[in-house]
Amino acid sequence: ILLLFNVMKLEDMLAKGNVWYVRHYEAYFDQVHVVYLFGSAGRTVTRGRTQLISLAGPSAWLNLLLAPFRLWGFARRIHPTSYLTADQVFAWWTSFPLVIFCRAKIVLMPVCIPEEIYANTGRSLAPILPIWLERVFIRWSYAVVSRVVTGKNISVYINWLSSMDGSKKKLRIVDLLVDELPSTEFFEALSNYHDLYKEGGGNSGLSPVLLYVGRLHHEKMVSDLIYALREIMDAGHPAKLVLVGDGEERSSLQELVQQLGLHDNVEFAGSKKSGELVRYYKS
């Protein structure tokens, strides 16, 4: 039984449309429980052997205050064999009852480098915290967890985690962070997709298509891709950029596209479900 937890909102993750990639853990666990400690109260969504659960209540501050005890109570009911989080900021707080009372060994799998976020946006990962305090919380989180995991193909993460006192002795580098599990929506669609590129045909004569899949938020630096496309075009190489996803920066990115004269070369595809992503990757 795997318990994966974070302080995000379940409804936000469902709105993004690609939350069910977590089902790849079914390849290793009989049950997968993904716990969200913020958001709407008492909501549960199940697909296959994976369950998404909101343990939140109506008050954000109470959610943060009670998160460790709600998580501990849930863990006592399901008796997990493994614990995983990607939360670098609040893991020290949300997991301390698990560590003290359940003797849980927490695995932390970071999905961003905080210092890069600070440098590029000037903002903390948790909007309620100043950067200096968030740095302290992150050090505490790495002190509490038993192991830190990253993939061998993400060299920048390996270098970063190997350089930190709090993580270098706990670091484990694995071959893959996400396995292809045929039962998940994305990989089902991929396996059933008709390959448009016949053997020997390729895409000769077609302009290259550049693809971005993710949130249209400032910290993702999507504007850099649009400037890069302008450079490619100016160098005499016609190309197209497809942006799959949505977010608060969409309107400003659309304005940038107009300013750079790229309205015929940039497609804003909007949010897509996992199964719909296949044809974009295949293009």
Side-chain angles (χ1 to χ4, degrees):
I1 300 176
L2 173 66
L3 175 57
L4 197 162
F5 60 94
N6 58 65
V7 292
M8 301 179 73
K9 297 179 180 180
L10 173 55
E11 55 265 35
D12 287 352
M13 297 303 296
L14 291 172
K16 293 177 183 178
N18 301 318
V19 66
W20 290 107
Y21 74 90
V22 294
R23 288 192 62 197
H24 79 89
Y25 291 114
E26 292 178 8
Y28 308 101
F29 297 93
D30 293 330
Q31 299 175 37
V32 179
H33 300 273
V34 187
V35 171
Y36 298 87
L37 298 167
F38 273 59
S40 300
R43 186 176 183 185
T44 299
V45 186
T46 302
R47 200 178 280 188
R49 290 181 282 116
T50 298
Q51 188 177 62
L52 312 182
I53 310 106
S54 174
L55 295 183
S59 168
W61 285 106
L62 276 178
N63 286 337
L64 185 57
L65 180 65
L66 298 177
F69 310 102
R70 288 171 173 166
L71 184 62
W72 174 48
F74 181 78
R76 291 181 65 189
R77 293 198 300 273
I78 68 168
H79 303 291
T81 55
S82 299
Y83 300 82
L84 176 65
T85 186
D87 181 10
Q88 301 177 70
V89 180
F90 292 108
W92 67 274
W93 170 247
T94 56
S95 64
F96 83 83
L98 297 176
V99 174
I100 295 174
F101 301 117
C102 301
R103 299 186 181 275
K105 296 186 181 298
I106 311 296
V107 176
L108 173 59
M109 186 175 68
V111 294
C112 72
I113 300 178
E115 291 300 328
E116 288 191 356
I117 301 296
Y118 305 154
N120 291 320
T121 70
R123 296 184 296 184
S124 56
L125 300 177
I128 62 173
L129 297 177
I131 290 176
W132 70 265
L133 182 57
E134 184 166 281
R135 286 189 173 112
V136 173
F137 282 7
I138 289 173
R139 285 199 297 271
W140 290 353
S141 291
Y142 278 96
V144 166
V145 301
S146 297
R147 179 168 290 171
V148 180
V149 172
T150 194
K152 70 177 183 180
N153 60 317
I154 318 176
S155 58
V156 64
Y157 275 55
I158 296 173
N159 295 337
W160 160 55
L161 293 168
S162 299
S163 68
M164 292 198 306
D165 291 337
S167 60
K168 60 185 179 183
K169 293 182 179 180
K170 301 176 179 180
L171 180 60
R172 180 176 180 182
I173 302 168
V174 298
D175 290 338
L176 290 173
L177 290 180
V178 178
D179 278 354
E180 297 186 10
L181 181 63
S183 61
T184 60
E185 181 182 9
F186 177 84
F187 296 111
E188 278 180 346
L190 182 62
S191 63
N192 295 327
Y193 189 86
H194 177 63
D195 192 350
L196 296 178
Y197 297 95
K198 297 297 184 180
E199 186 174 345
N203 64 343
S204 58
L206 298 178
S207 298
V209 177
L210 313 177
L211 175 66
Y212 167 83
V213 179
R215 292 180 289 121
L216 302 184
H217 284 201
H218 182 66
E219 62 268 22
K220 296 295 186 180
M221 299 183 287
V222 182
S223 59
D224 285 7
L225 296 179
I226 298 172
Y227 284 114
L229 178 64
R230 182 69 272 172
E231 294 284 342
I232 293 169
M233 299 285 290
D234 290 343
H237 305 290
K240 181 179 180 181
L241 172 62
V242 180
L243 304 176
V244 178
D246 214 337
E248 60 191 24
E249 209 179 23
R250 177 167 180 158
S251 59
S252 61
L253 293 172
Q254 289 173 324
E255 291 177 9
L256 178 61
V257 166
Q258 294 295 326
Q259 292 169 11
L260 298 179
L262 295 171
H263 53 277
D264 292 330
N265 301 88
V266 178
E267 176 188 346
F268 288 85
S271 296
K272 300 295 178 183
K273 294 182 178 179
S274 294
E276 296 177 280
L277 294 178
V278 173
R279 67 184 182 91
Y280 289 97
Y281 282 112
K282 295 288 285 186
S283 71

